[in-house]
Protein backbone atom coordinates (compact mmCIF):
# COMPACT_ATOMS: atom_id res chain seq x y z
CA UNK A 1 0.00 0.00 0.00
CA UNK A 2 2.81 2.41 0.90
CA UNK A 3 4.49 1.70 -2.45
CA UNK A 4 1.24 2.44 -4.34
CA UNK A 5 0.92 5.77 -2.51
CA UNK A 6 4.53 6.58 -3.41
CA UNK A 7 3.85 5.79 -7.08
CA UNK A 8 0.86 8.15 -7.05
CA UNK A 9 2.91 10.89 -5.38
CA UNK A 10 5.76 10.65 -7.86
CA UNK A 11 3.34 10.59 -10.82
CA UNK A 12 1.71 13.74 -9.43
CA UNK A 13 5.18 15.25 -9.05
CA UNK A 14 5.89 14.49 -12.71
CA UNK A 15 2.58 16.04 -13.75
CA UNK A 16 3.34 19.26 -11.88
CA UNK A 17 6.94 19.35 -13.13
CA UNK A 18 5.64 19.14 -16.70
CA UNK A 19 2.87 21.72 -16.35
CA UNK A 20 5.04 24.25 -14.48
CA UNK A 21 7.98 23.80 -16.87
CA UNK A 22 10.36 23.00 -14.00
CA UNK A 23 13.85 23.76 -15.32
CA UNK A 24 16.85 25.60 -13.87
CA UNK A 25 17.97 26.66 -17.35
CA UNK A 26 14.61 28.31 -17.94
CA UNK A 27 14.85 29.93 -14.51
CA UNK A 28 18.31 31.38 -15.19
CA UNK A 29 17.24 32.67 -18.62
CA UNK A 30 14.23 34.42 -17.10
CA UNK A 31 16.33 35.87 -14.27
CA UNK A 32 18.78 37.32 -16.82
CA UNK A 33 15.79 39.09 -18.42
CA UNK A 34 14.86 40.64 -15.07
CA UNK A 35 12.24 38.04 -14.06
CA UNK A 36 13.78 36.11 -11.13
CA UNK A 37 10.51 34.76 -9.66
CA UNK A 38 10.61 31.42 -11.52
CA UNK A 39 14.21 30.73 -10.50
CA UNK A 40 13.50 31.70 -6.88
CA UNK A 41 10.54 29.31 -6.79
CA UNK A 42 12.75 26.47 -8.07
CA UNK A 43 15.54 27.15 -5.58
CA UNK A 44 13.10 27.27 -2.65
CA UNK A 45 10.88 24.42 -3.82
CA UNK A 46 12.06 22.21 -0.95
CA UNK A 47 11.21 24.74 1.78
CA UNK A 48 8.42 22.66 3.32
CA UNK A 49 10.26 19.34 3.08
CA UNK A 50 10.96 19.55 6.81
CA UNK A 51 7.31 18.84 7.65
CA UNK A 52 7.15 15.18 6.53
CA UNK A 53 10.71 14.73 7.80
CA UNK A 54 9.74 16.02 11.24
CA UNK A 55 6.68 13.78 11.36
CA UNK A 56 8.79 10.76 10.37
CA UNK A 57 11.41 11.74 12.93
CA UNK A 58 8.87 11.94 15.75
CA UNK A 59 6.64 8.99 14.85
CA UNK A 60 9.13 6.54 13.29
CA UNK A 61 12.40 7.71 14.79
CA UNK A 62 13.99 8.30 11.40
CA UNK A 63 17.11 10.48 11.27
CA UNK A 64 17.38 13.91 9.73
CA UNK A 65 18.73 14.60 6.26
CA UNK A 66 22.46 14.12 5.82
CA UNK A 67 24.53 17.06 4.59
CA UNK A 68 28.17 17.32 3.57
CA UNK A 69 31.02 19.79 3.69
CA UNK A 70 31.72 21.73 0.49
CA UNK A 71 34.82 20.82 -1.54
CA UNK A 72 36.26 21.85 -4.87
CA UNK A 73 34.54 18.75 -6.30
CA UNK A 74 31.20 20.39 -5.46
CA UNK A 75 32.18 23.54 -7.35
CA UNK A 76 33.72 21.87 -10.42
CA UNK A 77 30.89 19.36 -10.62
CA UNK A 78 28.30 22.12 -10.44
CA UNK A 79 30.02 24.10 -13.18
CA UNK A 80 30.25 21.08 -15.50
CA UNK A 81 26.64 20.11 -14.89
CA UNK A 82 25.40 23.67 -15.40
CA UNK A 83 27.39 24.16 -18.60
CA UNK A 84 26.11 20.84 -19.97
CA UNK A 85 22.53 21.74 -19.01
CA UNK A 86 22.86 25.05 -20.88
CA UNK A 87 24.09 23.27 -24.01
CA UNK A 88 21.27 20.75 -23.61
CA UNK A 89 18.78 23.57 -22.92
CA UNK A 90 17.42 21.58 -20.02
CA UNK A 91 18.53 20.23 -16.65
CA UNK A 92 17.92 16.75 -15.24
CA UNK A 93 14.16 16.76 -14.64
CA UNK A 94 13.38 18.94 -17.66
CA UNK A 95 15.30 16.53 -19.92
CA UNK A 96 12.84 13.80 -18.95
CA UNK A 97 9.98 16.29 -19.36
CA UNK A 98 11.08 17.15 -22.89
CA UNK A 99 11.43 13.46 -23.74
CA UNK A 100 7.81 12.90 -22.72
CA UNK A 101 6.86 15.81 -24.98
CA UNK A 102 8.26 13.88 -27.95
CA UNK A 103 11.80 15.32 -28.26
CA UNK A 104 13.85 12.28 -29.26
CA UNK A 105 17.16 14.16 -28.82
CA UNK A 106 16.68 13.82 -25.05
CA UNK A 107 17.32 10.08 -25.39
CA UNK A 108 20.84 10.95 -26.48
CA UNK A 109 21.21 13.33 -23.54
CA UNK A 110 20.25 10.51 -21.16
CA UNK A 111 22.75 8.22 -22.90
CA UNK A 112 25.33 10.97 -22.34
CA UNK A 113 24.40 11.14 -18.64
CA UNK A 114 25.03 7.44 -18.24
CA UNK A 115 28.29 7.69 -20.19
CA UNK A 116 29.46 10.53 -17.93
CA UNK A 117 28.59 8.56 -14.82
CA UNK A 118 30.43 5.47 -16.13
CA UNK A 119 33.52 7.48 -17.12
CA UNK A 120 33.93 8.72 -13.55
CA UNK A 121 32.41 5.74 -11.74
CA UNK A 122 35.68 5.00 -9.96
CA UNK A 123 35.61 8.53 -8.46
CA UNK A 124 32.12 8.29 -6.94
CA UNK A 125 33.32 7.12 -3.52
CA UNK A 126 36.28 9.53 -3.55
CA UNK A 127 34.39 12.78 -4.09
CA UNK A 128 31.99 12.45 -1.17
CA UNK A 129 33.13 14.88 1.51
CA UNK A 130 32.91 14.74 5.29
CA UNK A 131 29.46 14.87 6.85
CA UNK A 132 28.36 18.32 7.97
CA UNK A 133 26.64 17.87 11.33
CA UNK A 134 23.81 20.30 12.01
CA UNK A 135 21.74 19.69 15.17
CA UNK A 136 18.22 18.54 14.21
CA UNK A 137 16.66 21.29 16.34
CA UNK A 138 18.58 23.99 14.43
CA UNK A 139 17.66 22.43 11.10
CA UNK A 140 13.95 22.24 11.87
CA UNK A 141 13.89 25.74 13.39
CA UNK A 142 15.70 27.21 10.39
CA UNK A 143 13.37 25.56 7.90
CA UNK A 144 10.29 26.50 9.96
CA UNK A 145 11.37 30.16 10.02
CA UNK A 146 11.98 30.13 6.27
CA UNK A 147 8.56 28.52 5.75
CA UNK A 148 6.82 31.22 7.81
CA UNK A 149 8.54 33.99 5.85
CA UNK A 150 7.55 32.35 2.59
CA UNK A 151 3.91 31.96 3.66
CA UNK A 152 3.81 35.68 4.52
CA UNK A 153 5.34 36.51 1.12
CA UNK A 154 2.77 34.33 -0.68
CA UNK A 155 -0.03 36.63 0.47
CA UNK A 156 1.68 39.50 -1.35
CA UNK A 157 2.10 37.64 -4.66
CA UNK A 158 -0.35 37.99 -7.52
CA UNK A 159 -2.48 34.99 -8.53
CA UNK A 160 -0.08 33.76 -11.23
CA UNK A 161 2.90 33.82 -8.88
CA UNK A 162 0.86 32.17 -6.12
CA UNK A 163 0.00 29.32 -8.48
CA UNK A 164 3.64 28.99 -9.51
CA UNK A 165 4.94 28.91 -5.94
CA UNK A 166 2.26 26.53 -4.69
CA UNK A 167 3.07 24.15 -7.56
CA UNK A 168 6.82 24.30 -6.87
CA UNK A 169 6.34 23.87 -3.12
CA UNK A 170 4.03 20.91 -3.77
CA UNK A 171 6.74 19.32 -5.90
CA UNK A 172 9.25 19.74 -3.07
CA UNK A 173 6.80 18.39 -0.48
CA UNK A 174 5.96 15.28 -2.51
CA UNK A 175 9.61 14.70 -3.32
CA UNK A 176 10.52 14.79 0.38
CA UNK A 177 7.88 12.15 1.14
CA UNK A 178 9.21 9.93 -1.65
CA UNK A 179 12.73 10.41 -0.29
CA UNK A 180 11.57 8.93 3.02
CA UNK A 181 10.48 5.79 1.17
CA UNK A 182 13.39 5.60 -1.28
CA UNK A 183 16.35 7.99 -0.70
CA UNK A 184 17.78 7.30 -4.17
CA UNK A 185 14.65 7.56 -6.33
CA UNK A 186 15.81 10.49 -8.50
CA UNK A 187 16.87 9.98 -12.14
CA UNK A 188 20.47 10.92 -11.25
CA UNK A 189 20.42 8.45 -8.35
CA UNK A 190 19.25 5.67 -10.65
CA UNK A 191 21.94 6.44 -13.24
CA UNK A 192 24.57 6.49 -10.51
CA UNK A 193 23.84 2.93 -9.44
CA UNK A 194 23.54 1.71 -13.04
CA UNK A 195 26.98 3.17 -13.76
CA UNK A 196 28.43 1.46 -10.69
CA UNK A 197 27.00 -1.84 -11.91
CA UNK A 198 28.45 -1.29 -15.41
CA UNK A 199 31.87 -0.32 -14.01
CA UNK A 200 32.27 -2.92 -11.26
CA UNK A 201 29.96 -5.66 -12.54
CA UNK A 202 28.52 -6.21 -9.07
CA UNK A 203 24.92 -7.41 -9.31
CA UNK A 204 24.17 -6.05 -5.82
CA UNK A 205 24.64 -2.52 -7.18
CA UNK A 206 21.91 -2.94 -9.81
CA UNK A 207 18.90 -0.81 -8.79
CA UNK A 208 15.84 -2.62 -7.49
CA UNK A 209 12.75 -3.06 -9.66
CA UNK A 210 10.88 -0.65 -7.39
CA UNK A 211 13.24 2.19 -8.32
CA UNK A 212 12.63 1.62 -12.03
CA UNK A 213 8.88 1.63 -11.36
CA UNK A 214 9.22 4.94 -9.53
CA UNK A 215 10.96 6.52 -12.54
CA UNK A 216 8.35 5.02 -14.87
CA UNK A 217 5.66 6.57 -12.69
CA UNK A 218 7.43 9.95 -12.95
CA UNK A 219 7.56 9.58 -16.73
CA UNK A 220 3.89 8.56 -16.85
CA UNK A 221 2.86 11.64 -14.89
CA UNK A 222 4.84 13.86 -17.26
CA UNK A 223 3.42 12.11 -20.33
CA UNK A 224 -0.17 12.51 -19.11
CA UNK A 225 0.47 16.22 -18.55
CA UNK A 226 2.03 16.59 -22.01
CA UNK A 227 -0.97 14.93 -23.66
CA UNK A 228 -3.51 16.78 -21.52
CA UNK A 229 -1.95 20.18 -22.31
CA UNK A 230 -1.42 19.21 -25.96
CA UNK A 231 2.32 19.81 -25.62
CA UNK A 232 3.28 16.44 -27.11
CA UNK A 233 4.88 16.85 -30.53
CA UNK A 234 7.09 14.10 -31.90
CA UNK A 235 10.41 15.56 -33.07
CA UNK A 236 13.13 13.60 -34.82
CA UNK A 237 16.70 14.63 -34.13
CA UNK A 238 19.40 15.47 -36.65
CA UNK A 239 22.95 14.14 -36.46
CA UNK A 240 24.14 17.55 -35.36
CA UNK A 241 21.59 17.61 -32.54
CA UNK A 242 22.57 14.10 -31.49
CA UNK A 243 26.24 15.09 -31.18
CA UNK A 244 25.33 18.25 -29.28
CA UNK A 245 23.11 16.48 -26.78
CA UNK A 246 25.52 13.59 -26.31
CA UNK A 247 28.25 16.09 -25.42
CA UNK A 248 25.88 17.95 -23.11
CA UNK A 249 24.77 14.74 -21.42
CA UNK A 250 28.33 13.58 -20.79
CA UNK A 251 29.15 16.91 -19.14
CA UNK A 252 26.03 16.66 -17.01
CA UNK A 253 26.85 13.09 -16.00
CA UNK A 254 30.45 13.90 -15.09
CA UNK A 255 29.32 16.99 -13.21
CA UNK A 256 26.76 14.97 -11.27
CA UNK A 257 29.48 12.51 -10.21
CA UNK A 258 31.76 15.25 -8.91
CA UNK A 259 28.92 17.13 -7.21
CA UNK A 260 27.48 13.90 -5.74
CA UNK A 261 24.19 14.34 -7.56
CA UNK A 262 22.44 16.22 -10.32
CA UNK A 263 20.28 19.28 -9.85
CA UNK A 264 17.31 17.13 -8.79
CA UNK A 265 19.22 15.75 -5.79
CA UNK A 266 20.75 19.14 -4.94
CA UNK A 267 17.46 21.07 -5.05
CA UNK A 268 15.19 18.50 -3.42
CA UNK A 269 17.57 16.95 -0.89
CA UNK A 270 20.84 18.86 -0.36
CA UNK A 271 19.50 22.43 -0.12
CA UNK A 272 16.65 21.59 2.29
CA UNK A 273 19.25 19.82 4.46
CA UNK A 274 21.34 23.03 4.59
CA UNK A 275 24.22 21.14 3.00
CA UNK A 276 27.26 23.36 2.28
CA UNK A 277 28.22 21.02 -0.55
CA UNK A 278 24.73 21.31 -2.03
CA UNK A 279 24.74 25.10 -1.77
CA UNK A 280 28.09 25.41 -3.56
CA UNK A 281 27.02 22.88 -6.19
CA UNK A 282 23.77 24.75 -6.95
CA UNK A 283 25.48 28.16 -7.11
CA UNK A 284 28.08 26.76 -9.50
CA UNK A 285 25.34 25.10 -11.56
CA UNK A 286 23.70 28.50 -11.96
CA UNK A 287 27.05 29.99 -12.99
CA UNK A 288 27.66 27.11 -15.39
CA UNK A 289 24.23 27.60 -16.96
CA UNK A 290 24.93 31.31 -17.43
CA UNK A 291 28.38 30.73 -18.96
CA UNK A 292 27.07 27.89 -21.12
CA UNK A 293 24.21 30.05 -22.34
CA UNK A 294 26.60 32.86 -23.31
CA UNK A 295 28.89 30.39 -25.10
CA UNK A 296 25.95 28.81 -26.97
CA UNK A 297 24.67 32.22 -28.10
CA UNK A 298 28.14 33.18 -29.34
CA UNK A 299 28.35 29.92 -31.30
CA UNK A 300 24.97 30.56 -32.92
CA UNK A 301 26.04 34.10 -33.92
CA UNK A 302 29.26 32.78 -35.51
CA UNK A 303 27.32 30.14 -37.46
CA UNK A 304 24.85 32.73 -38.72
Amino acid sequence: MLFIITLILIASLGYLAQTTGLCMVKGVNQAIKGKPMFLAAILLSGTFSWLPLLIANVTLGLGTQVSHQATWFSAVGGLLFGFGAAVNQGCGVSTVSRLTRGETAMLVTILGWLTGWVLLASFIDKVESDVYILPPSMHFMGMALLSILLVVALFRFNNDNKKLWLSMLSIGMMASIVFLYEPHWTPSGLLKDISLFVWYGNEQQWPSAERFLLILSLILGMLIAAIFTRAFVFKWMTIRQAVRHLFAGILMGMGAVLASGGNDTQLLLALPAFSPAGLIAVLCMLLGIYVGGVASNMTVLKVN
Side-chain angles (χ1 to χ4, degrees):
M1 183 63 183
L2 183 59
F3 180 60
I4 299 299
I5 294 174
T6 305
L7 287 176
I8 294 173
L9 282 174
I10 202 169
S12 301
L13 189 158
Y15 186 94
L16 283 176
Q18 183 73 277
T19 54
T20 58
L22 177 63
C23 179
M24 281 180 66
V25 176
K26 177 181 176 181
V28 171
N29 290 338
Q30 288 194 7
I32 292 173
K33 297 177 182 178
K35 300 177 180 179
M37 188 64 74
F38 190 84
L39 180 59
I42 291 176
L43 296 177
L44 295 175
S45 59
T47 299
F48 291 97
S49 64
W50 64 278
L51 286 171
L53 183 62
L54 178 60
I55 294 172
N57 182 266
V58 173
T59 60
L60 303 176
L62 297 180
T64 57
Q65 295 166 313
V66 178
S67 60
H68 294 271
Q69 299 284 2
T71 66
W72 71 268
F73 286 119
S74 309
V76 174
L79 284 171
L80 283 177
F81 187 94
F83 191 92
V87 175
N88 183 59
Q89 280 299 295
C91 53
V93 173
S94 59
T95 294
V96 182
S97 296
R98 290 174 63 186
L99 176 62
T100 58
R101 292 200 299 270
E103 296 188 41
T104 56
M106 296 302 105
L107 286 171
V108 183
T109 299
I110 295 173
L111 176 61
W113 286 357
L114 182 58
T115 302
W117 276 101
V118 171
L119 288 174
L120 295 185
S122 61
F123 286 88
I124 289 178
D125 293 332
K126 300 176 183 178
V127 300
E128 190 169 280
S129 58
D130 295 333
V131 172
Y132 173 73
I133 300 176
L134 182 67
S137 58
M138 290 185 63
H139 175 239
F140 287 128
M141 287 177 62
M143 291 300 290
L145 178 59
L146 180 60
S147 299
I148 293 172
L149 293 174
L150 187 52
V151 169
V152 173
L154 280 173
F155 284 102
R156 300 179 63 87
F157 293 158
N158 60 40
N159 289 335
D160 289 338
N161 284 332
K162 282 182 181 177
K163 182 179 179 181
L164 168 66
W165 276 89
L166 289 174
S167 296
M168 292 295 185
L169 292 171
S170 297
I171 289 174
M173 177 75 82
M174 288 186 287
S176 67
I177 297 173
V178 177
F179 274 123
L180 290 174
Y181 180 84
E182 173 52 68
H184 307 291
W185 70 265
T186 60
S188 62
L190 184 72
L191 290 176
K192 172 184 177 180
D193 286 347
I194 292 176
S195 68
L196 287 173
F197 168 79
V198 172
W199 186 260
Y200 293 107
N202 187 346
E203 292 184 1
Q204 294 182 345
Q205 291 171 321
W206 183 255
S208 65
E210 281 191 352
R211 290 175 63 186
F212 283 100
L213 289 175
L214 289 174
I215 295 299
L216 286 176
S217 185
L218 177 72
I219 293 173
L220 179 61
M222 290 179 171
L223 182 60
I224 291 173
I227 294 173
F228 182 76
T229 59
R230 298 181 180 180
F232 184 88
V233 179
F234 196 80
K235 297 179 181 179
W236 288 104
M237 60 181 150
T238 64
I239 295 178
R240 182 175 179 179
Q241 287 175 326
V243 173
R244 176 190 178 95
H245 288 285
L246 179 63
F247 170 71
I250 291 174
L251 287 181
M252 292 169 72
M254 295 174 68
V257 172
L258 296 177
S260 296
N263 71 308
D264 47 11
T265 300
Q266 306 298 344
L267 290 173
L268 300 174
L269 194 62
L271 283 188
F274 292 152
S275 171
L279 176 61
I280 294 300
V282 169
L283 290 176
C284 288
M285 283 179 185
L286 297 176
L287 178 59
I289 290 172
Y290 174 76
V291 173
V294 172
S296 295
N297 289 336
M298 290 179 63
T299 301
V300 171
L301 289 175
K302 288 182 179 179
V303 171
N304 293 336

